[in-house]
Amino acid sequence: MNNILWSLILLVMGMALAPLQRGVINRVKARMAGRTGAPLLQPYFDLYKLLWKGSVYSETTTMIFRAGPVIGLATALGALFLLPFGGQASLIHFNGDIILFVYFLGLGRFFTILAALDTGSSFEGMGASREAFFSALAEPALLIGMGALVCCTGGLSLSQVYNQLADMELTGFWGPSILLTAASFILVYLTENSRIPVDDPTTHLELTMIHEVMILDHSGVDLALIEYAGSLRLWLFGSLIIGTLFPPLFSYTIINATIAISGIMALSMFVGILESTMARLRMLHVPRLLTVSIVFSLLAMLWSLTHDTNGPSNPLVRNFHQPPSPILKNVNAAVRNTSSSNDENIPTNQLIKEKRLP
Amino acid sequence: MSDFLLILLILLNFKILSSNRIGASIHDVAIQAFLLGALGLFTEWNNLTWHTTFATGISILLKSIVMPLLLFRALKTAEVKRSMEPVVGPIVSMLFGVVALFASLWVAKKIPIKDSTLMACAIFTALTGIFMVVSREKALTQVLGYLIMENGIAAFGLVTAIREPVLIEMGVLLDIFVAVFVMGIMVCHINREFDHMDTDQLSQLKDF
């Protein structure tokens, strides 16, 4: 009962603190430019203002245009219900909810693209096609990275994975896999939230917009829903990264939650610094960056699948005697049980090692 | 921490595969040679002799300092544009790198040796080098690919030659020295004759 209460509290805290990330990003950007900047709570004031405004709907749009923002917010909230935070399991967790999580976010993006195409405007069509291309490249990175984490920890549900990451040291046996996955997730975070170096969120030229142009025609309550869903997506992807880099090490939930929230705010500050120091990449070079994130994820997964269980031969180097994860143990046991003769049950490595000359 | 060294080596290979800049790639090859030398010293820490240390020091000196200096000098005298101009783009090169890594990990698992990850890294480096030789047009980048291949072979020697790893090092160094020497002269002559370093155009039968 206590756990469910904590999950509910953390869920509500996520919903409440999500727009603060945008405030932090804008404040950091303003400070780095030498200005004072808007107050930290400005996104809340903007959302409140937008809720009072009316909307103008074009005559070329159909019900998809009105459904887009609503489905965007609904999918973001659905993914939030599946997200573990601060070492607590999510409110709803089951085996395989990783796939549901990724596809919730994909569904939200799909309906945003559809709503943009529904307006019939050429700028929005252009932005929609670019957005579809970039997120089609980012999705394998996210899924394969999740696969690498599953191989490391052996849990099949998002909550299990992120809970067991607390037992893994970053310099230990699975360290390289976890760090590579974190690096890949940071690039996916920048892509899915349309940040520099993939997209400039402050540009006012429609030819250079990717995400902003898709929401150009929305106004009033629709725009408030879209902005809030955008903040929730920042929170979702941020928690994925912070869960790997600052795992829940302590036994008190409140300390873990505080560490996680400060980690997400630190990530927002990092995004602010990145946006102030870098320009957006040329549109032709963005696929290269996304392929790099796919390569990081693939490397993490290949590493966790084929890494040597015996360490290197040098005793000065730390010998990692941590046993392989339960998932690999089950797979190995299944493979061993299906082989017919007795000699094949011993892996080849150990056979040859015993016969090696000293 | 040899795990992190191996990951760093694999990532360096990917960096070279996806890069468009010759200067940065030469620096990467130098770093790769230094890391491999350090890894060699590391694995031999228990029975370190003056012989081993001296040979490793010579190989690091030659591969990390002297070769890049020669290559940079060749770059400067030939006055080429410092971009790679690959035949296949950076994305396809990176995807090839993934396939090559998968293949080398699979092959290394089949070979009955204790440290199969280092073996996989060695085979992957050699495959990267061969791919660089094949898929880049400029003569200088082909030399670079050859150097990467020799790095991979030296790493392979680290894993398999338990008694005398430095013997393979010496062979590799001789190979590299002759190759860079010959290639350097060739590059200068090609450039002087044709005003460019594009090996694709060497098969045209024109006089000027």
Side-chain angles (χ1 to χ4, degrees), chain B residues 146-162:
Chain B
Y146 184 74
L147 278 180
I148 298 172
M149 196 170 69
E150 294 293 335
N151 270 342
I153 293 177
F156 190 86
L158 260 179
V159 182
T160 51
I162 309 158

Side-chain angles (χ1 to χ4, degrees), chain A residues 57-293:
Chain A
Y57 292 109
S58 148
E59 281 172 21
T60 51
T61 60
T62 64
M63 44 89 81
I64 295 185
F65 185 74
R66 282 148 230 228
V70 177
I71 296 184
L73 181 63
T75 50
L77 280 174
L80 195 66
F81 271 82
L82 294 170
L83 181 81
F85 194 77
Q88 282 295 323
S90 47
L91 262 185
I92 303 173
H93 55 267
F94 47 90
N95 278 350
D97 62 1
I98 300 179
I99 311 281
L100 186 63
F101 182 81
V102 174
Y103 276 88
F104 259 149
L105 297 168
L107 189 70
R109 176 148 298 228
F110 177 63
F111 270 94
T112 313
I113 292 177
L114 271 187
L117 289 171
D118 196 32
T119 60
S121 153
S122 50
F123 284 131
E124 274 148 351
M126 220 166 55
S129 84
R130 288 170 186 169
E131 177 91 1
F133 181 39
F134 292 157
S135 56
L137 283 178
E139 198 163 299
L142 185 60
L143 276 169
I144 298 177
M146 286 292 186
L149 283 180
V150 162
C151 277
C152 287
T153 55
L156 289 172
S157 138
L158 209 56
S159 308
Q160 276 177 12
V161 168
Y162 276 88
N163 204 6
Q164 273 187 292
L165 275 177
D167 296 333
M168 321 237 149
E169 315 169 315
L170 278 180
T171 52
F173 188 72
W174 301 108
S177 288
I178 298 176
L179 285 174
L180 281 170
T181 314
S184 167
F185 279 178
I186 289 180
L187 288 173
V188 168
Y189 172 87
L190 292 172
T191 309
E192 292 274 347
N193 295 307
S194 313
R195 294 274 140 196
I196 285 183
V198 175
D199 177 20
D200 191 356
T202 58
T203 182
H204 52 274
L205 309 163
E206 287 99 344
L207 270 177
T208 59
M209 290 182 187
I210 300 175
H211 181 77
E212 298 299 312
V213 72
M214 293 198 304
I215 61 176
L216 210 54
D217 269 345
H218 296 280
S219 51
V221 182
D222 287 341
L223 191 58
L225 294 180
I226 289 179
E227 297 256 321
Y228 184 60
S231 311
L232 281 180
R233 286 169 76 103
L234 273 175
W235 181 268
L236 286 165
F237 283 103
S239 322
L240 287 182
I241 300 172
I242 297 299
T244 52
L245 288 179
F246 305 118
L249 298 166
F250 301 93
S251 40
Y252 291 110
T253 311
I254 192 142
I255 304 182
N256 289 331
T258 317
I259 292 178
I261 292 175
S262 23
I264 291 188
M265 293 308 155
L267 190 65
S268 309
M269 280 175 61
F270 165 71
V271 170
I273 295 175
L274 194 69
E275 298 217 342
S276 313
T277 51
M278 266 187 79
R280 199 205 63 185
L281 285 179
R282 277 175 60 186
M283 213 75 74
L284 296 170
H285 292 329
V286 174
R288 206 194 289 191
L289 184 72
L290 298 173
T291 316
V292 166
S293 78

Side-chain angles (χ1 to χ4, degrees), chain B:
Chain B
M1 292 294 122
S2 74
D3 263 359
F4 284 95
L5 267 182
L6 290 177
I7 288 272
L8 199 58
L9 282 170
I10 297 179
L11 284 177
L12 265 177
N13 279 323
F14 274 111
K15 180 169 189 265
I16 297 172
L17 272 175
S18 68
S19 164
N20 200 26
R21 302 192 225 162
I22 301 186
S25 299
I26 298 179
H27 283 309
D28 287 334
V29 175
I31 295 174
Q32 202 178 43
F34 177 73
L35 284 178
L36 280 169
L39 200 64
L41 268 184
F42 217 30
T43 48
E44 292 262 314
W45 201 252
N46 291 332
N47 40 0
L48 206 59
T49 60
W50 276 114
H51 178 177
T52 320
T53 325
F54 194 59
T56 316
I58 288 273
S59 84
I60 291 181
L61 184 74
L62 263 175
K63 288 200 283 192
S64 301
I65 301 179
V66 174
M67 299 295 168
L69 269 177
L70 288 175
L71 286 170
F72 273 118
R73 185 178 293 183
L75 260 187
K76 217 181 295 183
T77 51
E79 284 173 27
V80 290
K81 203 170 56 146
R82 292 194 177 196
S83 75
M84 285 259 213
E85 287 171 21
V87 170
V88 292
I91 298 178
V92 178
S93 307
M94 267 195 281
L95 292 177
F96 166 81
V98 168
V99 171
L101 182 63
F102 189 69
S104 57
L105 277 165
W106 184 73
V107 166
K109 275 287 169 187
K110 300 281 184 184
I111 300 179
I113 206 157
K114 201 163 175 219
D115 196 1
S116 71
T117 334
L118 182 55
M119 165 79 82
C121 196
I123 301 177
F124 176 56
T125 315
L127 283 174
T128 308
I130 298 175
F131 182 75
M132 285 273 294
V133 168
V134 164
S135 74
R136 304 288 190 258
E137 283 183 337
K138 293 202 173 141
L140 203 85
T141 51
Q142 292 181 344
V143 177
L144 214 60
Y146 184 74
L147 278 180
I148 298 172
M149 196 170 69
E150 294 293 335
N151 270 342
I153 293 177
F156 190 86
L158 260 179
V159 182
T160 51
I162 309 158
R163 292 281 176 197
E164 280 289 342
V166 292
L167 197 63
I168 300 192
E169 284 281 337
M170 289 292 125
V172 164
L173 281 175
L174 183 66
D175 266 343
I176 293 180
F177 182 68
V178 169
V180 174
F181 194 57
V182 168
M183 289 281 203
I185 296 178
M186 243 177 58
V187 160
C188 275
H189 284 182
I190 292 175
N191 190 48
R192 209 183 301 154
E193 191 66 34
F194 292 105
D195 256 342
H196 64 81
M197 278 211 313
D198 211 346
T199 51
D200 250 2
Q201 303 182 16
L202 280 180
S203 54
Q204 291 177 346
L205 297 171
K206 277 199 270 197
D207 233 355
F208 53 91

